[in-house]
């Protein structure tokens, strides 16, 4: 069964809207939660979250982690057409020889219309 | 420029043939990973390697094989035993251990005819 669940799977908005993407997880030996943006090919790294309640921010993007409720959100304010992409959530979990491996959700396809 | 390269970008294969996908990195990373991505799916881990001459199976290793003879290189062979090999394959690398983001190559799109 899926260890990392993202919602919604697809989202269509207009430029200027604010969106919230969700990621819930259920893993043992949790280490961190990562967000990636995938436009056409290679996913590019956005954030790594390790502590609850501490917001990470980069321009119009921000993210926060709740380790008690096992979820994270990614917010994008004042969306632009260039934000159109698949946003992937990944959870790092494991120990010993499995340290560093990531479990990915299915992604949220965000489309921003002009 | 440091980064990860994958070749070829597109690959066509006939059923029953083995094919090898290349992945090279010059980031001096110890760990390397192979993922498969299908439409509407996230990334699924095929194999990973934390150090030269050692690798572990991921969640969908059946029908695939790898080698890690050099730190910079982690080739993936898709064998004829893989039932549904048509997919987008992504290679990644990272520093060894926890709390290190993975950096991805541009991917190889494999189509079986």
């Amino acid at each position: 069964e899926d260890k990392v669940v993202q919602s919604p799977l697809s989202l269509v908005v207009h430029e200027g809207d604010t969106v919230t993407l969700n990621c819930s997880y259920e893993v043992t030996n949790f280490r961190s939660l990562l967000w990636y943006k995938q436009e056409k090919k290679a996913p590019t790294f956005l954030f790594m979250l390790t502590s609850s309640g501490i917001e990470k921010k980069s321009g119009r993007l921000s993210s926060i982690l709740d380790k008690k409720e096992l979820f994270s959100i990614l917010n994008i304010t004042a969306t632009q057409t260039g934000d159109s992409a698949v946003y992937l959530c990944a959870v790092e979990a494991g120990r010993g020889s499995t340290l560093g491996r990531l479990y990915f959700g299915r992604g949220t396809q965000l489309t921003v219309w002009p | 420029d440091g980064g990860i390269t994958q070749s070829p970008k597109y690959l066509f294969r006939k059923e029953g043939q083995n094919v090898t996908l290349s992945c090279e990195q010059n980031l001096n990373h110890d760990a390397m990973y192979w993922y498969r991505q299908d439409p509407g799916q996230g990334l699924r881990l095929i194999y990973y390697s934390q150090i030269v001459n050692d690798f572990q199976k991921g969640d969908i290793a059946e029908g695939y094989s790898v080698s890690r003879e050099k730190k910079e290189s982690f080739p993936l062979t898709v064998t004829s035993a893989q039932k549904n090999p048509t997919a987008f394959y992504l290679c990644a690398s990272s520093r060894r251990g926890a709390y290190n983001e993975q950096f991805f190559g541009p991917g190889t799109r494999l189509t079986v005819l």
Side-chain angles (χ1 to χ4, degrees):
Chain A
E1 69 281 3
D2 288 351
K3 297 176 186 287
V4 182
V5 179
Q6 293 187 245
S7 63
L9 293 181
S10 180
L11 190 56
V12 180
V13 300
H14 288 283
E15 269 193 322
D17 289 349
T18 293
V19 298
T20 298
L21 310 183
N22 304 291
C23 177
S24 63
Y25 62 91
E26 187 173 344
V27 298
T28 55
N29 298 308
F30 173 88
R31 300 287 179 172
S32 66
L33 186 143
L34 298 87
W35 286 97
Y36 285 86
K37 177 182 182 182
Q38 185 179 26
E39 292 182 77
K40 290 290 184 186
K41 298 177 182 176
T44 54
F45 172 75
L46 295 174
F47 298 111
M48 176 184 286
L49 304 158
T50 57
S51 301
S52 279
I54 299 175
E55 184 182 54
K56 292 251 178 138
K57 198 170 172 64
S58 176
R60 296 177 293 103
L61 277 66
S62 63
S63 184
I64 198 162
L65 174 67
D66 186 327
K67 290 170 73 173
K68 182 180 177 184
E69 300 297 330
L70 308 183
F71 77 91
S72 173
I73 60 172
L74 175 68
N75 282 319
I76 308 175
T77 60
T79 52
Q80 302 171 356
T81 55
D83 294 327
S84 295
V86 175
Y87 290 83
L88 296 166
C89 174
V91 171
E92 180 190 6
R95 56 182 179 178
S97 64
T98 63
L99 265 179
R101 69 159 292 179
L102 300 179
Y103 298 88
F104 281 85
R106 296 189 176 203
T108 293
Q109 172 71 62
L110 174 65
T111 303
V112 182
W113 290 103
Chain B
D1 277 338
I4 303 175
T5 57
Q6 291 185 242
S7 62
K9 187 181 295 187
Y10 299 96
L11 187 57
F12 298 89
R13 186 196 97 174
K14 292 182 180 178
E15 277 192 32
Q17 289 180 338
N18 292 355
V19 64
T20 297
L21 281 57
S22 168
C23 177
E24 304 275 336
Q25 54 96 3
N26 61 3
L27 299 168
N28 199 32
H29 286 162
D30 284 307
M32 296 187 74
Y33 310 82
W34 273 106
Y35 294 93
R36 170 181 171 140
Q37 188 174 33
D38 295 283
Q41 301 285 328
L43 277 60
R44 291 184 291 168
L45 184 65
I46 304 172
Y47 269 98
Y48 63 107
S49 169
Q50 301 280 21
I51 200 166
V52 174
N53 292 323
D54 188 42
F55 49 83
Q56 286 82 37
K57 292 182 179 180
D59 300 320
I60 56 166
E62 185 176 351
Y64 301 97
S65 66
V66 293
S67 63
R68 187 85 188 277
E69 297 176 1
K70 297 188 300 182
K71 186 175 183 177
E72 304 79 19
S73 178
F74 192 39
L76 173 75
T77 297
V78 184
T79 75
S80 57
Q82 169 49 233
K83 300 297 181 202
N84 186 20
T86 295
F88 186 54
Y89 291 88
L90 283 161
C91 178
S93 72
S94 72
R95 293 179 184 169
R96 191 180 177 190
Y99 312 114
N100 296 300
E101 69 266 29
Q102 293 181 13
F103 295 84
F104 286 84
T108 293
R109 188 166 298 279
L110 173 64
T111 302
V112 176
L113 305 172

